[in-house]
Amino acid sequence: MENHVSIFNDVLGPVMRGPSSSHTAASARIGSLAAELLGEEIKSVLVEFTPDGSLATTYDGQGSDIGLATGLMGMEASSSKMKDSLSLIKARGIELTFEIRDYPATHPNTYRLTLKSVNGKRLEITAISTGGGMVKITRLNGFDVDVQGGYFEFFLFVKGLSSDAVKAIPGEISKKFNSLAIEVIKISENEDVTLINVKTSKAISKGTREAISSGFHSAEVLYSLPVLPVLSGTKCTVPFTTAADLIRSLPGKDTQLWEMAVMYESRRGNFSEKEVWKLAAGIHKVMRESVITGLKGTTYKDRILGRQSHLIGKAVTAGRLLDSPLINNLIQNTMAVMESKSSFQEIVAAPTAGSCAVIPGALTACADSLDLPEEEGIRAVLSAGMIGVLIATQSTFSAEVAGCQAECGAASAMAAAGIVQLLGGNALEAVSAASFALQNMLGLICDPVANRVEVPCLGKNILGAVNGLTSANITMAGVDTVIPLDEVIKAMDSVGGSLPRELRCTGCGGLSVTDTAREIERKLNPCK
């Protein structure tokens, strides 16, 4: 089942708190889906990670435990209570246990959860974090499933159906309940049990769920709500999926990339262009506020780096830096967002939390330098989002799959396109700038010290922001990018697959295993 990439699902979002989108935000969504599917008060949750996956060594440093607790209690990844979720879930009497255990897993970010309710109900799910806060439940009580959070999901487990009865299920449900806005009906069989999965784009009332259940004499019924801001559906289409197709689709040579982004997302979400603008304005607001929050100063005990963004302004005043106001503001703003992230303040994973400072750091500094109004900033955000769609469709944002080039590299390409938009450039120029920026970031590894997504992530975010600026400038000057964006994305994907696991699996290689890094980790985690 294909779910087309959405700017506000996969690229500019989620709006969240915590160190990592693929760990903290994704686990919150997994926890939320699991709690809804259980449908009863939770008594205990056992979470298992494989020893050779990324989560075994990082789940407590990058907030998978915090995120899961948040979601299991029904809170959003943007909740201000997230940082206290482990103590809150304990206070509710829910036993949350983590174990490292070997089991078949094809993805480095695999979660296996066993939930038990106070009434004795049991639920087993296997889920993966696919990058940037996106998730997929792949197994549900022994059945293969595909739950990505974009539908209302209704599951019925039915025993003893004949093969003819199974074949008749989709037509029978569609005929009896044609007002449900049913998008997909999936049937799976496991011995004498049949799983019926009804996916809809609108909520199914309890009465309707009970009517369907009684009609099939189901042994068990499960239901969950969407966790993504933009829903999926068979009526959702996209006008293009590659940069080459986008360029061929341009109405005119002066068309700007933000216009193509609005066209794309309105079709993908099956809603109005006005709604696309509203969502983009919300993302722009959170991005700018994350800069302001960081510059005001943040505190958080469990982090490596304290407040430092204010040092740039002090050094400028003291005459200790080269006279480069834009670059210095860009660095300062990027640092500020990283400090917001590391202190559990609200940020936008764009496209991930590990690379969340590149785009707001670069775009706010450039927009302020040009003295542009808010609407130009929103257009720049949309342009950045469009580049992210092209990358996500053809590759990944997951560092565990392709290294930090897929995070800070992708963010740098998106920032470059956004800056071209601020400069009044056209769509072709924005795509070219993105290509140049991503070329410069190929091969970037993932190696955060002590699993805190601070060192060397801060420097990589600054690098990505500055690279985005220079790539936009040389493109606007007419410098030849040479390699088309689609080919650069494919090259990034190939390089990611060629990187050793230790260099693309968070905290397993590079700077993360140096003597100093080990000592920092011991100080932060004295009980380990």
Side-chain angles (χ1 to χ4, degrees), residues 30 103-107 109-112 124-130 135-148 186 188 195:
I30 290 170
Y103 59 86
T106 59
H107 194 283
N109 291 342
T110 299
Y111 297 73
R112 190 165 74 178
E124 295 182 1
I125 73 168
T126 300
I128 59 174
S129 163
T130 57
V135 302
K136 181 190 292 188
I137 295 179
T138 59
R139 296 276 292 176
L140 177 62
N141 285 352
F143 285 84
D144 291 334
V145 296
D146 183 1
V147 178
Q148 299 182 41
K186 295 189 69 176
S188 303
L195 173 63

Side-chain angles (χ1 to χ4, degrees), residues 345-467:
Q345 302 301 311
E346 198 171 55
I347 55 99
V348 178
T352 68
S355 58
C356 69
V358 175
I359 295 169
L363 296 189
T364 55
C366 291
D368 290 345
S369 175
L370 295 167
D371 196 24
L372 296 175
E374 179 185 8
E375 65 181 33
E376 293 300 327
I378 297 171
R379 287 172 178 165
V381 163
L382 282 165
S383 296
M386 190 67 255
I387 295 299
V389 165
L390 302 177
I391 296 172
T393 301
Q394 300 177 74
S395 185
T396 180
F397 293 138
S398 175
E400 289 83 2
V401 175
C404 192
Q405 58 169 1
E407 295 199 22
C408 286
S412 186
M414 294 164 64
I419 295 169
V420 167
Q421 178 63 54
L422 292 175
L423 292 169
N426 60 37
L428 182 58
E429 289 167 329
V431 170
S432 296
S435 174
F436 198 93
L438 190 56
Q439 291 176 42
N440 301 339
M441 304 289 275
L442 291 187
L444 200 63
I445 67 171
C446 180
D447 57 345
V449 170
N451 295 315
R452 290 305 190 274
V453 198
E454 296 180 72
V455 180
C457 314
L458 171 62
K460 289 176 180 176
N461 273 258
I462 294 171
L463 168 65
V466 175
N467 179 54

Side-chain angles (χ1 to χ4, degrees), residues 300-316:
Y300 191 69
K301 183 179 179 180
D302 189 22
R303 65 178 181 179
I304 300 170
L305 301 172
R307 183 190 181 200
Q308 296 186 114
S309 55
H310 68 294
L311 298 178
I312 304 301
K314 283 188 174 182
V316 169

Side-chain angles (χ1 to χ4, degrees), residues 228-249:
L228 299 177
V230 179
L231 300 187
S232 299
T234 53
K235 294 181 180 179
C236 299
T237 61
V238 294
F240 42 78
T241 57
T242 67
D245 286 343
L246 183 155
I247 291 168
R248 281 192 288 269
S249 301

Side-chain angles (χ1 to χ4, degrees), residues 30-42:
I30 290 170
S32 177
L33 287 168
E36 286 185 4
L37 287 168
L38 183 67
E40 296 183 0
E41 184 181 346
I42 302 172

Side-chain angles (χ1 to χ4, degrees), residues 209-512:
R209 299 200 302 268
E210 290 175 347
I212 297 175
S213 175
S214 62
F216 287 95
H217 307 289
S218 59
E220 188 174 20
V221 176
L222 305 176
Y223 183 64
S224 68
L225 306 177
V227 294
L228 299 177
V230 179
L231 300 187
S232 299
T234 53
K235 294 181 180 179
C236 299
T237 61
V238 294
F240 42 78
T241 57
T242 67
D245 286 343
L246 183 155
I247 291 168
R248 281 192 288 269
S249 301
L250 292 174
K253 65 178 182 179
D254 294 327
T255 302
Q256 294 185 322
L257 191 56
W258 76 271
E259 297 174 278
M260 303 303 287
V262 170
M263 175 204 298
Y264 176 95
E265 192 67 12
S266 64
R267 294 189 189 178
R268 164 59 183 85
N270 193 28
F271 47 49
S272 69
E273 294 186 354
K274 184 177 180 180
E275 182 63 23
V276 176
W277 184 268
K278 181 180 177 181
L279 289 169
I283 292 297
H284 177 262
K285 183 174 185 289
V286 176
M287 283 185 169
R288 184 163 279 281
E289 287 178 351
S290 68
V291 174
I292 295 170
T293 298
L295 291 176
K296 286 180 179 178
T298 60
T299 58
Y300 191 69
K301 183 179 179 180
D302 189 22
R303 65 178 181 179
I304 300 170
L305 301 172
R307 183 190 181 200
Q308 296 186 114
S309 55
H310 68 294
L311 298 178
I312 304 301
K314 283 188 174 182
V316 169
T317 301
R320 295 179 57 83
L321 304 185
L322 291 173
D323 186 19
S324 304
L326 175 55
I327 294 292
N328 290 331
N329 285 338
L330 181 150
I331 293 172
Q332 174 182 265
N333 289 4
T334 303
M335 293 177 69
V337 178
M338 288 296 285
E339 290 167 15
S340 289
K341 174 194 70 66
S342 296
S343 58
F344 276 84
Q345 302 301 311
E346 198 171 55
I347 55 99
V348 178
T352 68
S355 58
C356 69
V358 175
I359 295 169
L363 296 189
T364 55
C366 291
D368 290 345
S369 175
L370 295 167
D371 196 24
L372 296 175
E374 179 185 8
E375 65 181 33
E376 293 300 327
I378 297 171
R379 287 172 178 165
V381 163
L382 282 165
S383 296
M386 190 67 255
I387 295 299
V389 165
L390 302 177
I391 296 172
T393 301
Q394 300 177 74
S395 185
T396 180
F397 293 138
S398 175
E400 289 83 2
V401 175
C404 192
Q405 58 169 1
E407 295 199 22
C408 286
S412 186
M414 294 164 64
I419 295 169
V420 167
Q421 178 63 54
L422 292 175
L423 292 169
N426 60 37
L428 182 58
E429 289 167 329
V431 170
S432 296
S435 174
F436 198 93
L438 190 56
Q439 291 176 42
N440 301 339
M441 304 289 275
L442 291 187
L444 200 63
I445 67 171
C446 180
D447 57 345
V449 170
N451 295 315
R452 290 305 190 274
V453 198
E454 296 180 72
V455 180
C457 314
L458 171 62
K460 289 176 180 176
N461 273 258
I462 294 171
L463 168 65
V466 175
N467 179 54
L469 172 59
T470 57
S471 297
N473 272 349
I474 64 173
T475 300
M476 293 299 286
V479 175
D480 190 354
T481 304
V482 182
I483 310 296
L485 178 59
D486 291 330
E487 294 182 30
V488 181
I489 295 171
K490 290 177 182 177
M492 183 194 79
D493 199 64
S494 176
V495 170
S498 301
L499 288 173
R501 171 184 173 274
E502 291 79 10
L503 301 182
R504 55 183 167 84
C505 185
T506 306
C508 296
L511 295 178
S512 67

